[in-house]
Amino acid sequence: MSVKLQTVSDDEDGLRLDRWFKIHYPGLPFGKLQQILRTGQVRVDGKRAKTADRLSAGATVRVPPLDAPSETPAKKPEAPVRPEDAAALRAMIIYEDDDVIVLNKVPGLAVQGGSGT
């Protein structure tokens, strides 16, 4: 891969640089985009760019060589669910359909994922 110079189209006028990358390079992780911006590899009209910079129609975006993302992202292996944990969760279900599950959640039980949850 080599450096690409891409021109911002009229319908992309005013678009944030991070959103422009999301449209043109959907497989590029946000962290990788931040890295290439911090190191000055991405330039707009020859100047260093930041994530929130707004693009103007006709501007030239310098895109460095990007590593091709793997076909399938590596998944963390799922921990097996203990039968007693599955039974406890099923006992909390108040209502369930194709779109929603309503639980009678105990205090202290996390409601969104995070590290160590």
Side-chain angles (χ1 to χ4, degrees):
M1 293 189 129
S2 61
V3 172
K4 292 182 184 176
L5 296 177
Q6 292 185 242
T7 304
V8 177
S9 65
D10 290 337
D11 60 327
E12 296 170 333
D13 185 53
L15 194 64
R16 283 174 46 126
L17 183 60
D18 57 343
R19 293 191 180 124
W20 183 89
F21 265 93
K22 192 69 174 168
I23 291 167
H24 292 273
Y25 301 93
L28 180 67
F30 187 72
K32 178 68 174 175
L33 173 60
Q34 291 290 1
Q35 178 189 23
I36 62 176
L37 285 165
R38 271 194 316 270
T39 57
Q41 296 178 58
V42 174
R43 295 185 177 258
V44 176
D45 289 336
K47 297 176 185 166
R48 288 180 85 136
K50 295 181 182 172
T51 307
D53 286 351
R54 299 274 177 184
L55 298 172
S56 301
T60 302
V61 179
R62 178 194 185 273
V63 180
L66 303 173
D67 298 333
S70 62
E71 293 298 318
T72 54
K75 284 189 170 183
K76 260 172 76 173
E78 292 187 22
V81 177
R82 298 182 324 179
E84 56 268 21
D85 290 340
L89 286 172
R90 277 193 292 277
M92 288 185 220
I93 296 175
I94 296 172
Y95 174 81
E96 178 179 8
D97 65 23
D98 291 339
D99 299 315
V100 67
I101 296 177
V102 179
L103 300 176
N104 183 14
K105 182 185 87 62
V106 296
L109 180 66
V111 294
Q112 61 188 33
S115 61
T117 303

